Amino acid sequence: MDHRKLLRNTNQTTAPKGYIAGLGRGAAGFTTRSDIGPASSRPSANTDDDNADDPLGANSTIPQSSGSGSRAAELRAAKLQMQQMQRANALQQSQQVAQVQPFGAAPANYIPGAGRGASSYGGSGDATPIDPPRMIAGQTMQVANSNPEMEGSLFSNQDPSQFDDDDNEADAIYNAIDERMNSKRRKVNDTNNSNNNSNGGSSAIGDQFRELKSKLASVTDEQWAAIPDVGDYSLRHKQKRREDVFTPLTDSLLDQRSKSNNDASAGGIMGLGGTTQVLDGTTTSISAGYKTNLSGLAEARSTVMTMSLDKASSTGGIDSVSGQSTIDPKGYLTSLSNTKIASAAEVGDVNKARLLLKSVRDTNPKHGPGWIAAARVEEAAGKTAHARKLIMEGCEICPDNEDVWLEAARLHPVNQGKTILAAAARRMPTSVKIYLKAADLEHQEYAKKAVLRKALESNPNSVTLWKAAIDLEDENDARVLLAVAVEKVPHSVEMWLALARLETYDNARKVLNQARKHLPTERAIWIAAAKLEESQNHSDMVERIVDKAVRSLDKHDAIVSRAQWLKEAEAAESSGAPLTSAAIVKCTVGRGVDDEDRQRTWADDANASLSRNSVATARAILAHALAAFPTKGKLWLQAVDLERKHGTPDSLDEVLAAASERLPRTEIFWLVRAKEKWLAGDVDKSRSILTEAFKANPDSEPVWLAAVKLEWETDEIERARVLLTRARERAPTARIYMKSALLERECQQYTKALELLEEGLKKYPTFDKMFMMGGQICSEDMTKDRTNLDKARKYYQRGLQNCPNSIVLWSLASQLEERVAEYGAGSSNAGVTKARSLLELARLKNPKNPELWLEAIRLERRAGNEKLAVSLMARALQEVPTSGILLAENITTSPRVEQKSKSADAIKKRPDDPRVIAAVASLFASERKHDKARKWFERAVKLDSDLGDSWAKWYAFELDVGTKEGQEDVKQRCITAEPKHGELWCSVSKDMANRRKTTAEHLDIAANKILEEKQKFN
């Protein structure tokens, strides 16, 4: 083979990428496109940079084989060698270009002569610009095809005679391999494109129809002309065309039109268009031939309706009793529209039930419920006649079953039902149900009596029949019947008791004695006898009868538990026999109770009876308990509370007198008794009670103070002074000195009051209330000058030294310093500063105290330092996060947009604090949610009824938006609760101007203050 023909023209054909010629002859390894991966390693950047200036110099080293002889190592070495050769050639080319082009390299995409109309080097028609140079290892080089010397293989400069058949074969093989790889790559791309199209990819629609478009070239003219036109398939053509609607005309209009047509056909002037038809030149009139009387249609319809009504009346619309029609002609059509048409499923169910019940009747024809069920199925299916036939057949087959007879009477009309029940009574004369049903079917009272008396002849021992017969009689006849009834049925307790109620006292006693002999184990007879004696005011006999009853029942082994006896006692009380109830309690309340559990058990029994509104029973239980435990103060207090709530003033006085007699050293009973007499207006009796209390308790402080209060409230000031003087001698306590100073203060004897306070402070230096009173007298009651200011400061200073934990004393001292400007002793700013320092010192000595934090916050708000007040509130809630007064103050003073969130947070922290609940209620009231506000105020007063602030806020709310009834209800409940605490409440009640006022007046004053503040705020 000629080697020259086989030689590749390197100047015309570009070698494949990565091709290294001569690999078959032992040359270094080379890579192809299929060798992508670990086999093609490239040198690092550092190596390229180091050898950039000396591509083939001494510093250049060609990596040798690893010595392992592997093909991968050879390929890596060959590839590295080729890259180094390419860099060297690029460097050499750049040097040549620099010599040939003294003006430097041409710009990118530059085409020589293009400005003069010349084309690129690609040919006359090729306007494609030359490829821009590439950047390899930091050096600029032209593309491979711009250097003819670099085209071809690594050994392109060698003598062509060196190539042989092996080289050609190798080139052919690798060309085939490249073509094979390209075809696989094209198939993969086509597959991906088809997948994208099937998955709703973003390929163009034209690409999807490319294959179909290519086939259009083979379409002939005939095929193209045979393609049908696309019709209009829009929605408006898919809608179903509505048929023409024709409105029916009335008979009168049709008749009028008919007459008009007749006139027109006869040559009249009033011819109507459309009434004549021309057929083949012949004119035909509507009057020709057969004529129809249209006005008779209405008459025909009326006739048909009448026949339908008559037919319905003849088939089933005639009442068998009265013979009158039961069909309502006016409502006939309406009833037809309401008629229920059974579905196929319901008809099938009825048929199944019929077959099942027929099988039951055939299997056991004497089974009455089977006949009843079959008749009811037919009745439900609307076959009343068939149901009656079935049930009568059942009566013939089951003549001794009263339920079948009763069902037959129910299905038939009243007259037939009476006949059926008469036959049933003859068949079963002892059936009570049949006689009662027969009596119910009778409409006349005498007929009912006759039926029942006939029944009693056959059933003299039936209690039910006797009751039904007696209920129909008047009092005299009922007494006669009852006398016979108790002879026939002596075991009926109800008969005996009913007869005893109708008899006189003497006869009733006889009746009950006879009943007791017949029924010795029945406790109701004994209780009825006790009630009979109580009705005659024989109170001594009541307890005797009950006691005898208990012993008799025990003798006859009649088991009656203690709970059952107490229930009988409550029943006797509800029937108006309290003495009987008390007797039952006295004789039975101790049965089955251990000695050590008696007090607790009886107290619980009394509370349980009170919860069921059985006051007399509870009073009897407590009386029995006090008789057993006369020195138990808790029982006496429970009895006093019962009489105060449910008793009379006399009964309360009796209990208090007994308690004072049993427990003379317990002052509470003396004081309560004296107060009740004083409130009732009996001052002398109250004084005598307190005198007896002095004898029993000569050194008792509460008794002395009660006596002083009695004289004080009745304006007996001198007697009150005398009593206080004696009390300071006999029982010199701190409260005695405080009350003595308070009396002098109210009488405006300030000097005397201060002297008494100094005397008391010498004996009781740690009693903070005397320091408070001294400071208040000097700062509020006396003249406001610097002298009295200094005196008040001294009282507060002494009090804080002796009582550093008195929070109220710290608050009063700070308030005094805040108001120094009123006394002419400095500016208001200086007073606020001094008050602030006092409160800070108080918080240091009394950490985590919410009252001190609250006073400091209010001080800053009064001074106008709103931001400082907010900061103090935040600090206070951090130190005392669960304080109710702080949380309530935070709700009240926060901006409106934050109040809801503050309320929710406060309720989470303190859900049972009355101050928080009252603050939330006030928030609801401000939002006009009146029902919610009432509920929350109710909840607040229930949590703490002694907190007067809650009552004042609620009453103010009712005054603002409530009714007279609601206002009066809140006031009465507040008077009953008698609150004593609360910041606002104490400021009102302890004011010297309000000391003599009642709780209701204090409530009015506090509520008015709240309303005034609300008006100022608004």
Side-chain angles (χ1 to χ4, degrees):
M1 184 181 294
D2 190 0
H3 292 286
R4 292 187 178 183
K5 292 182 180 181
L6 296 176
L7 287 177
R8 296 179 56 182
N9 189 357
T10 57
N11 294 328
Q12 296 179 359
T13 303
T14 305
K17 186 178 180 180
Y19 170 73
I20 300 177
L23 182 62
R25 299 188 302 274
F30 61 95
T31 59
T32 63
R33 294 180 182 178
S34 62
D35 294 329
I36 298 173
S40 60
S41 63
R42 63 179 58 186
S44 62
N46 295 334
T47 306
D48 295 342
D49 295 337
D50 294 339
N51 299 332
D53 297 334
D54 189 14
L56 293 174
N59 297 330
S60 299
T61 58
I62 297 176
Q64 301 296 328
S65 176
S66 60
S68 60
S70 63
R71 180 175 178 83
E74 294 176 356
L75 291 174
R76 287 193 296 271
K79 185 175 181 180
L80 182 58
Q81 183 180 2
M82 183 182 65
Q83 291 174 353
Q84 291 175 354
M85 292 292 292
Q86 290 175 353
R87 285 195 294 270
N89 292 335
L91 181 60
Q92 184 178 0
Q93 183 180 2
S94 62
Q95 292 174 357
Q96 294 175 358
V97 170
Q99 293 175 1
V100 175
Q101 299 176 357
F103 299 98
N109 300 328
Y110 172 74
I111 301 175
R116 300 185 299 274
S119 61
S120 62
Y121 296 133
S124 61
D126 189 5
T128 303
I130 300 174
D131 293 337
R134 298 180 183 179
M135 296 298 296
I136 300 178
Q139 299 293 331
T140 302
M141 62 174 292
Q142 298 294 332
V143 293
N145 58 4
S146 64
N147 186 7
E149 297 180 357
M150 292 299 299
E151 294 179 357
S153 64
L154 184 63
F155 305 99
S156 59
N157 294 328
Q158 294 182 2
D159 186 4
S161 61
Q162 295 180 2
F163 292 97
D164 55 7
D165 294 340
D166 293 336
D167 295 333
N168 295 331
E169 184 180 0
D171 292 340
I173 290 173
Y174 281 104
N175 289 333
I177 292 174
D178 290 340
E179 183 64 25
R180 177 65 175 169
M181 295 300 295
N182 291 333
S183 63
K184 285 184 177 181
R185 195 174 295 108
R186 284 194 298 271
K187 289 182 180 180
V188 172
N189 293 335
D190 294 341
T191 303
N192 292 337
N193 292 333
S194 62
N195 291 336
N196 291 335
N197 294 334
S198 62
N199 294 333
S202 59
S203 60
I205 297 178
D207 296 340
Q208 301 177 11
F209 296 96
R210 183 181 294 108
E211 184 178 357
L212 297 176
K213 288 180 181 179
S214 62
K215 295 180 180 180
L216 290 176
S218 61
V219 177
T220 62
D221 295 339
E222 292 78 7
Q223 291 177 346
W224 187 268
I227 297 176
D229 295 334
V230 178
D232 189 358
Y233 292 100
S234 60
L235 182 61
R236 58 192 179 91
H237 292 284
K238 293 183 180 180
Q239 293 180 351
K240 185 178 180 181
R241 183 181 300 276
R242 295 181 57 186
E243 300 295 336
D244 294 337
V245 178
F246 298 96
T247 303
L249 301 178
T250 61
D251 296 341
S252 60
L253 182 60
L254 292 175
D255 191 17
Q256 182 180 0
R257 178 62 60 87
S258 175
K259 293 179 180 179
S260 301
N261 291 337
N262 291 335
D263 294 339
S265 62
I269 302 175
M270 300 299 293
L272 298 179
T275 58
T276 59
Q277 297 179 357
V278 178
L279 298 176
D280 299 331
T282 303
T283 302
T284 303
S285 174
I286 194 171
S287 60
Y290 178 75
K291 291 185 177 181
T292 302
N293 187 7
L294 298 176
S295 62
L297 293 177
E299 297 178 0
R301 283 198 296 268
S302 178
T303 304
V304 171
M305 179 64 67
T306 304
M307 293 175 61
S308 300
L309 293 175
D310 294 341
K311 182 179 179 180
S313 301
S314 62
T315 56
I318 301 298
D319 191 354
S320 60
V321 178
S322 61
Q324 297 178 355
S325 175
T326 59
I327 298 295
D328 183 12
K330 295 181 179 179
Y332 177 70
L333 295 179
T334 305
S335 63
L336 287 179
S337 63
N338 294 331
T339 302
K340 179 181 178 182
I341 301 176
S343 62
E346 293 178 352
V347 172
D349 294 339
V350 171
N351 292 332
K352 290 180 182 179
R354 286 171 179 166
L355 292 175
L356 179 62
L357 293 174
K358 186 177 185 303
S359 176
V360 172
R361 296 195 306 273
D362 294 342
T363 304
N364 187 6
K366 297 293 184 179
H367 186 61
W371 293 99
I372 296 173
R376 291 186 177 178
V377 167
E378 298 299 334
E379 181 185 12
K383 304 296 182 62
T384 307
H386 190 51
R388 293 172 180 172
K389 181 180 178 181
L390 274 176
I391 200 65
M392 292 307 299
E393 185 179 354
C395 291
E396 294 176 0
I397 297 176
C398 305
D400 297 329
N401 192 314
E402 62 180 6
D403 293 332
V404 177
W405 289 101
L406 293 174
E407 183 68 16
R410 186 187 69 82
L411 289 175
H412 285 78
V414 177
N415 289 339
Q416 294 182 13
K418 293 179 181 179
T419 304
I420 293 171
L421 290 176
R426 289 191 297 270
R427 180 69 182 181
M428 294 179 294
T430 59
S431 176
V432 176
K433 292 182 179 180
I434 290 177
Y435 282 108
L436 292 176
K437 182 64 177 178
D440 291 338
L441 291 180
E442 298 293 341
H443 299 289
Q444 302 296 329
E445 187 174 350
Y446 68 89
K448 292 178 181 290
K449 293 180 181 179
V451 172
L452 291 175
R453 288 176 182 176
K454 182 68 175 178
L456 287 173
E457 292 177 1
S458 302
N459 302 277
N461 298 326
S462 175
V463 177
T464 305
L465 290 175
W466 281 109
K467 289 181 180 179
I470 292 169
D471 289 340
L472 295 176
E473 303 293 341
D474 56 8
E475 184 176 350
N476 294 327
D477 294 339
R479 187 185 302 112
V480 175
L481 282 179
L482 283 171
V484 179
V486 294
E487 294 178 0
K488 298 296 184 180
V489 283
H491 61 278
S492 177
V493 180
E494 297 179 1
M495 297 294 178
W496 288 106
L497 296 179
L499 180 59
R501 284 192 295 269
L502 294 177
E503 293 288 352
T504 61
Y505 170 67
D506 294 332
N507 292 334
R509 291 183 65 183
K510 294 178 182 179
V511 170
L512 291 175
N513 286 330
Q514 293 177 4
R516 180 172 53 83
K517 292 178 181 178
H518 286 91
L519 300 169
T521 60
E522 185 58 49
R523 62 181 181 273
I525 298 175
W526 291 98
I527 295 174
K531 292 179 181 179
L532 178 64
E533 297 298 335
E534 184 178 357
S535 64
Q536 301 298 319
N537 295 325
H538 299 161
S539 57
D540 54 341
M541 292 293 296
V542 175
E543 186 174 350
R544 290 172 56 187
I545 291 174
V546 173
D547 182 60
K548 188 176 180 180
V550 173
R551 288 187 281 105
S552 176
L553 292 174
D554 292 340
K555 181 179 179 181
H556 289 87
D557 296 332
I559 301 175
V560 184
S561 64
R562 176 173 165 277
Q564 290 176 334
W565 279 116
L566 292 179
K567 189 177 294 184
E568 292 290 347
E570 294 178 0
E573 179 186 355
S574 62
S575 63
L579 295 179
T580 302
S581 174
I584 293 173
V585 169
K586 183 177 180 181
C587 296
T588 61
V589 74
R591 295 169 64 88
V593 181
D594 297 335
D595 293 341
E596 59 273 11
D597 296 335
R598 288 185 298 171
Q599 179 183 351
R600 177 183 56 80
T601 303
W602 290 339
D604 294 341
D605 291 338
N607 292 329
S609 297
L610 274 180
S611 65
R612 293 188 289 269
N613 296 325
S614 299
V615 179
T617 304
R619 185 182 290 114
I621 294 172
L622 288 176
H624 183 78
L626 289 171
F629 303 98
T631 59
K632 296 297 182 180
K634 291 183 179 180
L635 290 176
W636 284 110
L637 289 174
Q638 189 174 355
V640 169
D641 184 65
L642 184 146
E643 297 299 336
R644 179 182 292 169
K645 293 180 179 179
H646 305 283
T648 61
D650 294 337
S651 63
L652 177 59
D653 186 68
E654 291 176 2
V655 173
L656 289 171
S660 301
E661 183 179 355
R662 295 289 184 177
L663 301 171
R665 300 291 296 177
T666 305
E667 301 94 339
I668 183 65
F669 299 113
W670 295 104
L671 300 178
V672 172
R673 188 184 179 196
K675 183 179 180 180
E676 292 295 332
K677 290 297 181 181
W678 171 53
L679 293 176
D682 194 352
V683 179
D684 295 335
K685 183 63 176 178
S686 180
R687 285 196 183 108
S688 63
I689 292 172
L690 291 175
T691 301
E692 294 177 4
F694 277 126
K695 294 178 181 178
N697 304 278
D699 300 331
S700 175
E701 174 191 303
V703 175
W704 282 105
L705 293 178
V708 170
K709 184 177 181 180
L710 176 63
E711 303 299 340
W712 195 343
E713 296 294 338
T714 56
D715 292 331
E716 296 290 342
I717 303 299
E718 293 300 328
R719 299 184 68 171
R721 280 198 179 102
V722 172
L723 287 174
L724 286 171
T725 302
R726 293 175 58 186
R728 290 196 299 272
E729 295 173 357
R730 299 287 300 273
T733 62
R735 294 191 66 210
I736 295 291
Y737 279 100
M738 185 187 68
K739 292 293 183 181
S740 301
L742 187 61
L743 176 62
E744 300 300 335
R745 181 185 179 185
E746 185 177 350
C747 297
Q748 298 183 358
Q749 301 293 328
Y750 302 125
T751 304
K752 181 64 175 177
L754 293 176
E755 291 176 358
L756 289 173
L757 289 175
E758 291 295 338
E759 183 181 352
L761 288 173
K762 291 179 181 178
K763 295 182 178 180
Y764 304 100
T766 58
F767 192 68
D768 56 346
K769 290 187 178 181
M770 285 193 284
F771 292 109
M772 297 177 196
M773 187 179 294
Q776 289 174 345
I777 291 173
C778 296
S779 61
E780 297 177 4
D781 299 333
M782 300 177 71
T783 306
K784 293 185 177 181
D785 53 15
R786 296 182 63 91
T787 303
N788 292 327
L789 176 62
D790 294 337
K791 289 181 180 180
R793 280 176 173 172
K794 289 180 180 179
Y795 271 108
Y796 290 145
Q797 290 173 359
R798 289 166 57 193
L800 293 176
Q801 291 176 358
N802 295 322
C803 309
N805 297 327
S806 178
I807 306 303
V808 179
L809 200 56
W810 284 104
S811 299
L812 291 174
S814 67
Q815 292 173 8
L816 177 65
E817 297 297 337
E818 184 184 0
R819 294 182 285 110
V820 292
E822 299 177 6
Y823 300 89
S827 63
S828 59
N829 293 333
V832 170
T833 304
K834 184 66 178 295
R836 187 183 296 119
S837 63
L838 268 176
L839 290 175
E840 290 178 356
L841 181 61
R843 293 199 301 272
L844 290 176
K845 293 187 177 182
N846 299 277
K848 296 185 179 182
N849 189 279
E851 287 81 5
L852 292 175
W853 280 107
L854 181 61
E855 185 63 30
I857 293 168
R858 290 179 177 175
L859 171 65
E860 300 301 337
R861 283 204 168 92
R862 289 193 296 267
N865 300 326
E866 185 64 27
K867 292 184 178 180
L868 185 56
V870 173
S871 176
L872 284 175
M873 177 62 76
R875 291 173 54 193
L877 290 176
Q878 288 180 354
E879 185 173 345
V880 194
T882 58
S883 172
I885 57 174
L886 289 177
L887 293 172
E889 182 73 12
N890 192 26
I891 294 172
T892 305
T893 58
S894 295
R896 180 171 292 274
V897 295
E898 300 179 2
Q899 285 182 339
K900 287 188 177 180
S901 60
K902 302 289 185 182
S903 300
D905 183 58
I907 291 172
K908 288 181 181 179
K909 293 179 179 179
R910 292 299 301 270
D912 297 330
D913 191 281
R915 297 177 180 85
V916 174
I917 302 301
V920 175
S922 300
L923 177 60
F924 284 134
S926 65
E927 295 177 351
R928 303 288 183 180
K929 298 178 181 179
H930 299 158
D931 293 336
K932 284 188 176 182
R934 285 190 180 92
K935 291 180 180 180
W936 283 77
F937 278 127
E938 179 78 24
R939 180 181 173 186
V941 298
K942 284 184 177 179
L943 287 172
D944 187 4
S945 60
D946 192 51
L947 186 63
D949 292 357
S950 300
W951 290 106
K953 291 179 181 179
W954 190 6
Y955 188 64
F957 167 73
E958 294 295 342
L959 288 176
D960 189 16
V961 299
T963 60
K964 293 290 185 182
E965 293 78 6
Q967 297 167 11
E968 191 62 27
D969 178 64
V970 173
K971 180 180 286 188
Q972 291 299 325
R973 292 176 61 183
C974 180
I975 293 172
T976 304
E978 294 184 357
K980 301 295 183 184
H981 297 87
E983 182 181 4
L984 176 62
W985 187 266
C986 290
S987 66
V988 172
S989 61
K990 292 187 178 182
D991 191 354
M992 295 305 298
N994 303 327
R995 286 202 70 259
R996 297 291 187 91
K997 294 181 179 180
T998 61
T999 303
E1001 293 172 337
H1002 293 161
L1003 181 63
D1004 289 331
I1005 296 172
N1008 290 329
K1009 283 189 174 183
I1010 294 174
L1011 292 176
E1012 290 175 1
E1013 292 180 0
K1014 181 180 179 181
Q1015 292 177 357
K1016 291 179 181 178
F1017 180 76
N1018 293 334

